[in-house]
Amino acid sequence: MVIALPAFIRRISVAIALTLCCTLTTSFAAGADDQEQPIVLCGTDAGFDLQSLNILSGTGTLAIDRALVQELMAQSRFFRVRPAFFVYSGGIQNALATPEVFPQTPGTDGTILYQLDLLTEHLNSAYFGGSIVAGVIAHEFTHIIQFSDRDLYSRLSKAHSTVKFLELHADFVAGYYMGTKFSHRSEDLETLARKIFELGDNNFTNIGHHGTPQERHVALRAGFRYYVNNPNSNITAALVEGEAFVTSVFPDF
Ligand SMILES: [Zn+2]
């Protein structure tokens, strides 16, 4: 598959323009090859039609919108990428990332989408539900970095016939991010792990295979533990450590 990745843009200091607004009215550019489907990670293995998503202007609750924007800005600084972010309704309950740049958010580093029912469920799934949402978003930010770093994306893609290593790497880094924010609340990590399990699968040979629930849990906890044991580390080190971990620990069949 030929994948048209956006130019590698790593802005250390950026004017944050994460957005929770806009209505999807224009079809997406299909990339270098119009026959290719845009790549979407965390979509279901049945495929994900970006153009059919019902993009919302927000969650419908101002306080949640504000908290989301605050978290997104924090993660944009932490991960040093600047994706657009949209909430959508209907369709499949999922959170996903794509290198596609929506026409209403030019200049961004791809796009993260979060289904509203799932977001609401995550917010209600723990006393500190916001930490679950933060963990899911961190997983998606890692995909944005993978899209931006061609070499990293290529290595993780070629390491397995499915997207498994891309997903487990994102789980590791999400666990690392959880460690930076919630190292004193490891119970939130377990709740996040359960929620991610629900998005996991056991279709080992399917190209959409994300890793088994157990593998995802191991990756998440390893990332969390990496931060706890290396509190002076940074995202660059975590990305490297995550790649080494997932490609060495998990079976490649
Ligand atoms: Zn994913």
Side-chain angles (χ1 to χ4, degrees):
M1 169 184 276
V2 176
I3 300 165
L5 295 173
F8 178 43
I9 306 167
R10 189 176 291 268
R11 300 180 179 88
I12 304 301
S13 175
V14 295
I16 305 299
L18 295 162
T19 180
L20 278 167
C21 61
C22 303
T23 304
L24 190 61
T25 55
T26 313
S27 61
F28 306 111
D33 183 343
D34 287 345
Q35 302 305 309
E36 295 287 349
Q37 292 294 314
I39 187 166
V40 176
L41 286 177
C42 289
T44 69
D45 53 18
F48 211 100
D49 183 4
L50 287 174
Q51 297 184 49
S52 71
L53 296 179
N54 181 28
I55 301 293
L56 303 175
S57 60
T59 64
T61 305
L62 190 58
I64 294 176
D65 286 355
R66 284 177 173 160
L68 265 176
V69 169
Q70 195 172 16
E71 177 62 25
L72 289 160
M73 290 173 68
Q75 292 208 21
S76 186
R77 287 190 295 271
F78 182 86
F79 288 105
R80 302 173 186 173
V81 286
R82 185 172 161 269
F85 178 89
F86 293 98
V87 175
Y88 69 96
S89 66
I92 300 164
Q93 287 199 7
N94 218 330
L96 51 136
T98 173
E100 296 293 303
V101 175
F102 285 25
Q104 58 269 49
T105 52
T108 49
D109 301 329
T111 308
I112 294 173
L113 296 124
Y114 210 139
Q115 205 259 8
L116 180 59
D117 293 340
L118 184 66
L119 174 64
T120 304
E121 182 195 324
H122 286 167
L123 284 172
N124 295 329
S125 62
Y127 183 74
F128 295 106
S131 63
I132 310 307
V133 173
V136 170
I137 291 174
H139 175 105
E140 306 306 336
F141 261 85
T142 308
H143 283 323
I144 296 295
I145 290 177
Q146 292 168 348
F147 295 142
S148 298
D149 187 336
R150 289 169 182 264
D151 292 338
L152 174 64
Y153 186 89
S154 177
R155 289 195 302 272
L156 289 169
S157 299
K158 288 175 180 170
H160 199 264
S161 58
T162 72
V163 295
K164 170 179 170 175
F165 284 163
L166 288 162
E167 296 299 337
L168 293 172
H169 182 250
D171 288 337
F172 180 99
V173 178
Y176 177 80
Y177 180 75
M178 292 288 281
T180 67
K181 286 194 71 166
F182 310 110
S183 60
H184 59 296
R185 295 207 316 249
S186 58
E187 70 274 15
D188 284 4
L189 185 78
E190 297 308 310
T191 309
L192 173 65
R194 280 202 308 279
K195 290 299 165 187
I196 284 185
F197 289 175
E198 293 170 6
L199 299 176
D201 65 75
N202 288 297
N203 300 321
F204 298 105
T205 59
N206 191 300
I207 192 153
H209 175 45
H210 283 57
T212 66
Q214 291 81 4
E215 288 172 331
R216 303 199 70 183
H217 197 173
V218 167
L220 198 64
R221 286 207 301 197
F224 189 90
R225 210 166 43 243
Y226 177 69
Y227 173 77
V228 171
N229 293 333
N230 302 275
N232 296 320
S233 58
N234 57 30
I235 180 60
T236 303
L239 289 163
V240 171
E241 180 69 18
E243 181 183 1
F245 182 84
V246 301
T247 55
S248 64
V249 168
F250 299 113
D252 57 2
F253 51 82

